[in-house]
Amino acid sequence: MKIESITVREIQMPLVHFFETSFGRTTGRRIILVTVQGEGITAWGECVAGEHPHYCEECVETAWYAITKELAPSLINKDVKKPGDCVPMMASIRGNRMAKASLENALWAAEALKEQVPLWKLVGGTRKEIACGVSIGIQNSPEELEEKVEKELAAGYQRIKLKCKPGWDLKIFERIRKRWPNILLSCDANSAYTLADTEHLKEFDQYKLLMIEQPLWHDDFYFHAELQKKIKTKICLDEAIRNARDAEAAIALGSCGIINIKVGRVGGMTEAIKVHDVCQKRNIPVWCGGMLESGIGRTHNVALSTLPNFTLPGDVSASQRYWKEDVIEPEVTVS
Ligand code: OSB
Ligand code: MG
């Protein structure tokens, strides 16, 4: 497709319920949406950068700059034969992976429209059903959390992930495990601990968690490997995996037993598929993470999740968990 024009927008959407992680509370999202236009096609992509650079270095402001001033200009008037062709065109710009992913994902959507094939088939998906879990943030009280878990299990979600941090961990797991001894339960620390917490993290093992996500520094493999030797619960890396090379290195070091793939975090669909393939080859199961996306980003996540090594339930929950009204029609629903 010859890219004739690119439109960049920011929309603002209040969340139906606040979302709190170890790095803070979000009550609404500022979301950058891009469209690429050419050959009569208009296709959408979403930038998953957050309002603040807390999860990673990127945020809405930096992504807006990167897309409008650097990345879109490098693509405009270019002929992109297949979506991945844009990757080398943007390669001279370091980092800014979420910004890059929004444009690449729009090109994947364009290719799907042009070829009249569903996106999930275009990316190489093989499954018609995917398993869904939910990510439940830190709540005002353990009672409120218990209500949330009850509601999500009743809605059919197959894995409950609890956000955790020092002070919101062991007692919470104890309470949830006591009431639901057999559910698939995991936790996500978003880098809330250090190696000095090793003894404390060993206590997590008794709760039979499917995994602990990113317990240590956002940019670390080495110390996660040290920690993994001392705890039974499998470590899952999220923040630290920026590309397929990182996945290779982390697996070789023994830093994790599971990897969370986020299209935005790794710079787009092409790299996400590469991370998937590396993990599949090394027998490391993966699942698709979420970034409180609108339906546009969410449907890209759903498509990616149909690849064969996405064997664990992903954070690909329904639109209504986040939004009163999503920007897509039909909204994402979960059966
Ligand atoms: O670490 O997975 C994370 C949301 C924002 C930033 C980081 C994370 C998350 C989530 C939400 O866990 C997952 C979702 O979109 O449902
Ligand atoms: Mg995470």
Side-chain angles (χ1 to χ4, degrees):
M1 182 175 95
K2 170 123 188 280
I3 302 175
E4 289 157 13
S5 63
I6 294 172
T7 307
V8 191
R9 298 176 173 82
E10 180 187 319
I11 58 166
Q12 302 184 358
M13 292 169 77
L15 285 162
V16 292
H17 186 267
F18 67 81
F19 187 77
E20 186 172 325
T21 65
S22 62
F23 51 69
R25 186 177 279 201
T26 312
T27 55
R29 294 290 335 279
R30 291 175 60 193
I31 298 174
I32 297 176
L33 297 174
V34 303
T35 54
V36 292
Q37 287 95 219
E39 299 175 18
I41 289 170
T42 297
W44 295 79
E46 173 167 342
C47 179
V48 300
E51 293 69 38
H52 302 280
H54 292 164
Y55 167 83
C56 69
E57 295 86 344
E58 286 183 272
C59 68
V60 173
E61 304 291 335
T62 69
W64 185 272
Y65 164 78
I67 295 167
T68 59
K69 294 287 194 289
E70 304 282 353
L71 299 168
S74 71
L75 298 182
I76 209 81
N77 292 326
K78 295 275 165 60
D79 196 9
V80 176
K81 294 267 183 279
K82 43 183 193 0
D85 287 356
C86 72
V87 176
M89 293 174 187
M90 299 191 285
S92 67
I93 292 139
R94 301 262 194 262
N96 295 285
R97 291 180 301 278
M98 292 173 170
K100 287 177 181 172
S102 64
L103 291 164
E104 191 195 329
N105 290 351
L107 288 170
W108 279 91
E111 176 82 354
L113 288 169
K114 192 174 164 196
E115 298 300 323
Q116 305 253 308
V117 279
L119 184 59
W120 71 272
K121 278 194 183 162
L122 198 63
V123 299
T126 53
R127 61 181 89 227
K128 288 218 157 171
E129 282 195 356
I130 60 170
C132 300
V134 283
S135 172
I136 305 184
I138 294 164
Q139 305 297 317
N140 286 324
S141 69
E143 291 77 16
E144 272 175 40
L145 176 71
E146 210 173 306
E147 272 172 39
K148 284 244 145 35
V149 173
E150 186 174 16
K151 185 174 148 214
E152 303 299 5
L153 289 170
Y157 288 104
Q158 297 176 35
R159 181 269 284 141
I160 300 289
K161 158 172 141 184
L162 303 175
K163 289 289 183 179
C164 66
K165 65 176 183 182
W168 186 271
D169 49 18
L170 298 174
K171 283 200 187 117
I172 295 296
F173 306 149
E174 176 74 36
R175 190 179 177 113
I176 300 299
R177 261 297 176 236
K178 207 162 166 193
R179 181 144 170 220
W180 293 284
N182 299 317
I183 57 168
L184 278 186
L185 188 66
S186 71
C187 69
D188 185 357
N190 290 110
S191 306
Y193 302 94
T194 72
L195 273 191
D197 299 309
T198 302
E199 289 308 309
H200 178 69
L201 291 166
K202 279 187 192 169
E203 300 285 315
F204 284 32
D205 286 343
Q206 63 192 293
Y207 300 106
K208 306 273 178 281
L209 302 173
L210 180 61
M211 69 190 97
I212 173 169
E213 197 176 331
Q214 200 72 40
L216 307 175
W217 304 275
H218 72 97
D219 55 358
D220 169 77
F221 305 145
Y222 180 77
F223 295 106
H224 278 94
E226 293 296 297
L227 178 65
Q228 186 68 91
K229 285 180 205 145
K230 298 187 179 121
I231 63 173
K232 289 201 193 80
T233 308
K234 275 190 186 173
I235 291 175
C236 168
L237 291 180
D238 172 354
E239 283 89 326
I241 305 295
R242 300 161 304 172
N243 49 47
R245 283 182 295 104
D246 280 350
E248 292 261 20
I251 296 166
L253 275 169
S255 314
C256 59
I258 296 174
I259 286 179
N260 160 341
I261 302 183
K262 289 180 180 168
V263 193
R265 193 193 68 225
V266 303
M269 203 56 107
T270 302
E271 195 67 25
I273 296 166
K274 279 191 196 161
V275 176
H276 165 273
D277 294 349
V278 162
C279 293
Q280 187 172 35
K281 212 156 112 198
R282 309 268 179 212
N283 283 320
I284 296 290
V286 303
W287 54 280
C288 184
M291 289 294 289
L292 309 177
E293 290 92 345
S294 80
I296 293 170
R298 200 157 292 281
T299 45
H300 280 90
N301 293 347
V302 170
L304 179 69
S305 304
T306 64
L307 268 69
N309 194 36
F310 280 82
T311 53
L312 296 170
D315 285 340
V316 281
S317 43
S319 300
Q320 62 161 41
R321 287 194 66 240
Y322 308 87
W323 321 114
K324 216 166 125 200
E325 190 185 6
D326 205 340
V327 293
I328 59 163
E329 232 167 44
E331 299 196 335
V332 175
T333 56
V334 170
S335 55

